[in-house]
């Protein structure tokens, strides 16, 4: 009893002296961890017996992420510690040799293709998974991906598997859709990324009251594509592919139509040559940064490691420096090649360490929440022999907005076996810069109504469209074209019109008669 009495006295004495800010923060962090454990235990009690083990494992991952967030809530880098990229940190794609055709089948036996398929099409006004948006000739992102892999397998008599990382938002619909590919020469595997509780911005506690995602979808979220490594491991697929003798996975976003299997890159990894040094466990495809890419992640050398720097980690006063095309020449395409046994080693050794991205949201009921996420490329620093590869811009063709959709639907690109390539009829390789007004063009359905047919863009440099504008059939746009309908006005571009270096404004209606 004496020792307990002394302990109490010491505690009361500490309270009377007050707590300096550092000690106060430490106590707050410790309290938050204890309270979170209590709240997660309450949630676990609402879980069905069949789901309990998986949910418990996911909560363990969430707790680790939460602790990292508490230790460094900003995840910002110390700007002065960023070093110049060393020689050889980024190789040039043009220098890669092409493998002999006799090697290719054996190379493909060592590959797994993974597409990140957790996103919804809500930003483009669509319901369900983004991968089921029609992109070209009524074919979806998923259709094009399956076509690409099937063509690869048929051409080289190979058996490259396709793996989809779904989220709780996309899994059910994706499972129904992939049934239509059963007769294709592609083995399709799926697994789900984790399902984490959103936390109240003020209390830092989960807003969920029940483990059932369906009961309250707003209370849960998929924690970014950095969750790939642990979820892939937990699903058992990593072990399965290693046992098959597969060595590398190629990871990319399903909406990046330029992210096809590149045999030169695969050859570089599998057959590096005698003077290449240690095998490369992690390769990140980067491409030259333009003013359109200023928010994209970039490669830096930091504490003697090559790593990804995202804009969320940049101190506010350094954001303009980060956006500079001269300072940071490359940006991350999120096309990654990763050695499978190395993923296993890092997971089992507990050395996976990625910066936490804090994503604030406001729910429909006005509650401010935060989502703790990670980026798949941020794991780069955990691998040995990581390297960047400067690839042609054609390997980065994402569809994030309807302006991107206009590009890939147009005659700028030819479609063959699920792959898009720029038309040889375009006299210069850069893609046009397209800006479409949010109010009238942001949603896919509205966007499609405004084009009787997709215009000829072969000679277009820049297009800006704002306001209530529609396009007739067989319109041709060349050079710089700016079309602005003021509020209350409407502009109908007539069928057959050729607009070259034109500004159209005001009101233009073609009436039926």
């Amino acid at each position: 009893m004496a020792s307990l009495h002394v302990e109490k006295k010491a505690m009361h004495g500490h309270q009377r002296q007050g707590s300096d800010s550092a000690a106060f923060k430490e106590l707050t962090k410790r309290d938050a961890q204890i309270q979170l454990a209590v709240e997660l235990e309450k949630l676990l009690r609402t879980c069905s017996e069949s789901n309990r083990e998986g949910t418990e494992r996911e909560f363990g991952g969430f707790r680790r992420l939460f602790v990292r967030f508490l230790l460094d809530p900003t995840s910002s880098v110390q700007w002065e510690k960023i070093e110049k990229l060393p020689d050889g940190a980024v190789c040039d794609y043009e220098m890669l040799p092409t493998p002999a055709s006799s090697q290719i089948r054996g190379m493909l036996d060592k590959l797994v293709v993974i597409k990140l398929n957790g996103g919804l099409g809500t930003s483009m006004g669509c319901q369900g998974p983004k991968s089921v948006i029609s992109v070209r000739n009524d074919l979806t992102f998923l259709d094009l991906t399956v076509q690409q892999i099937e063509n690869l397998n048929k051409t080289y008599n190979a058996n490259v598997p396709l793996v989809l990382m779904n989220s709780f938002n996309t899994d059910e619909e994706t499972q129904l859709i992939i049934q239509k590919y059963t007769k294709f020469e592609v083995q399709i595997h799926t697994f789900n990324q984790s399902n984490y509780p959103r936390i109240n911005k003020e209390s830092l506690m989960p807003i969920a009251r029940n483990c059932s995602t369906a009961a309250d979808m707003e209370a849960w979220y998929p924690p970014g594509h950095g969750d790939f490594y642990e979820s892939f491991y937990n699903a058992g697929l990593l072990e399965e592919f290693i046992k098959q003798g597969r060595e590398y996975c190629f990871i990319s976003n399903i909406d990046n139509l330029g992210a096809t299997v590149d045999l030169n890159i695969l050859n570089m990894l599998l057959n590096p040559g005698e003077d290449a040094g240690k095998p490369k466990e992690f390769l990140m495809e980067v491409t030259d940064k333009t003013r359109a890419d200023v928010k994209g992640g970039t490669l830096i050398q930091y504490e003697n490691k090559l790593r990804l720097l995202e804009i969320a980690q940049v101190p506010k006063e350094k954001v303009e420096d980060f956006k500079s095309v001269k300072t940071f020449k490359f940006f991350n395409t999120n096309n990654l090649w990763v050695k499978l046994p190395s993923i296993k080693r890092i997971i089992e050794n507990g050395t996976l360490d990625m910066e936490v991205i804090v994503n604030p949201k406001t729910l429909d009921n006005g509650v401010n929440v935060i989502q703790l996420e990670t980026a798949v490329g941020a794991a780069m620093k955990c691998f040995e022999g990581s390297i960047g590869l400067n690839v042609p811009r054609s390997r980065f063709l994402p569809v994030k907005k309807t302006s991107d959709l206009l590009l890939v639907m147009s005659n700028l690109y030819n479609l063959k076996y699920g792959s898009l390539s720029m038309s040889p009829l375009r006299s210069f390789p850069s893609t046009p810069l397209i800006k479409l007004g949010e109010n009238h063009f942001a949603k896919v359905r509205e966007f499609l109504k405004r084009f009787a047919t997709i215009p000829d863009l072969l000679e277009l440099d820049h297009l800006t469209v704002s306001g209530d504008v529609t396009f007739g059939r067989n319109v041709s746009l060349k050079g710089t074209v700016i079309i602005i309908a003021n509020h209350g006005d409407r502009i109908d571009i007539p069928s057959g019109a050729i607009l070259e270096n034109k500004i159209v404004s005001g009101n233009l209606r073609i009436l039926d008669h």
Side-chain angles (χ1 to χ4, degrees), residues 226-467:
D227 184 60
F228 159 76
Y229 304 100
E230 292 193 66
S231 292
F232 187 48
Y233 178 91
N234 291 336
L237 287 170
L238 176 63
E239 189 65 36
E240 183 182 326
F241 290 131
I242 290 173
K243 282 179 179 171
Q244 290 176 15
R246 300 194 184 267
E247 290 185 30
Y248 279 92
C249 61
F250 171 48
I251 309 166
S252 61
N253 296 334
I254 200 156
D255 67 2
N256 181 5
L257 295 172
T260 56
V261 171
D262 187 285
L263 296 173
N264 293 2
I265 300 176
L266 183 59
N267 181 50
M268 171 198 176
L269 294 167
L270 292 172
N271 306 302
E274 291 177 15
D275 59 345
K278 282 194 283 188
K280 303 292 182 272
E281 293 186 350
F282 191 108
L283 183 146
M284 176 183 287
E285 292 185 40
V286 297
T287 193
D288 291 339
K289 195 169 174 178
T290 70
R291 282 174 300 183
D293 313 309
V294 291
K295 291 183 179 178
T298 192
L299 272 183
I300 59 169
Q301 183 80 356
Y302 193 85
E303 296 178 335
N304 298 317
K305 284 274 192 178
L306 199 59
R307 67 183 257 188
L308 175 66
L309 176 66
E310 299 274 16
I311 195 166
Q313 296 155 244
V314 177
K316 281 182 184 173
E317 67 276 11
K318 298 293 183 182
V319 166
E320 288 311 309
D321 292 348
F322 173 80
K323 290 180 178 179
S324 164
V325 177
K326 288 181 182 174
T327 311
F328 298 104
K329 294 191 296 183
F330 307 115
F331 83 97
N332 170 30
T333 64
N334 220 38
N335 299 346
L336 308 170
W337 302 72
V338 190
K339 200 168 176 63
L340 295 172
S342 305
I343 296 175
K344 182 181 179 184
R345 181 193 75 230
I346 285 168
I347 295 289
E348 292 182 350
N349 291 351
T351 54
L352 185 66
D353 175 28
M354 293 175 286
E355 291 73 32
V356 181
I357 298 167
V358 181
N359 189 357
K361 300 267 183 186
T362 301
L363 304 184
D364 290 343
N365 60 8
V367 173
N368 291 321
V369 296
I370 54 175
Q371 298 180 179
L372 304 180
E373 303 175 5
T374 53
V376 65
M380 182 181 216
K381 63 180 182 180
C382 307
F383 290 83
E384 297 299 324
S386 293
I387 194 167
L389 183 70
N390 189 11
V391 297
R393 183 75 184 199
S394 56
R395 289 192 59 75
F396 184 67
L397 193 58
V399 179
K400 303 294 184 190
K401 297 181 176 180
T402 51
S403 52
D404 303 320
L405 198 55
L406 179 61
L407 283 173
V408 299
M409 292 177 81
S410 77
N411 60 348
L412 270 175
Y413 291 97
N414 294 334
L415 177 64
K416 190 175 182 182
Y417 300 124
S419 296
L420 292 178
S421 58
M422 189 167 282
S423 168
L425 299 176
R426 184 165 172 85
S427 54
F428 37 96
S430 61
T431 49
L433 185 62
I434 295 182
K435 296 178 181 176
L436 302 178
E438 288 286 316
N439 291 340
H440 296 84
F441 288 86
K443 309 299 182 192
V444 171
R445 187 174 291 178
E446 181 74 11
F447 159 85
L448 292 172
K449 282 182 190 171
R450 295 187 171 274
F451 294 94
T453 59
I454 299 297
D456 172 358
L457 305 183
L458 278 175
E459 295 177 49
L460 179 70
D461 293 324
H462 180 119
L463 173 66
T464 294
V465 183
S466 178

Side-chain angles (χ1 to χ4, degrees), residues 172-187:
E172 192 174 338
E173 195 166 337
T174 299
Q175 296 298 345
L176 292 172
I177 291 163
I178 61 176
Q179 290 175 23
K180 72 177 180 180
Y181 305 124
T182 49
K183 293 201 167 63
F184 286 70
E185 288 186 30
V186 184
Q187 281 186 14

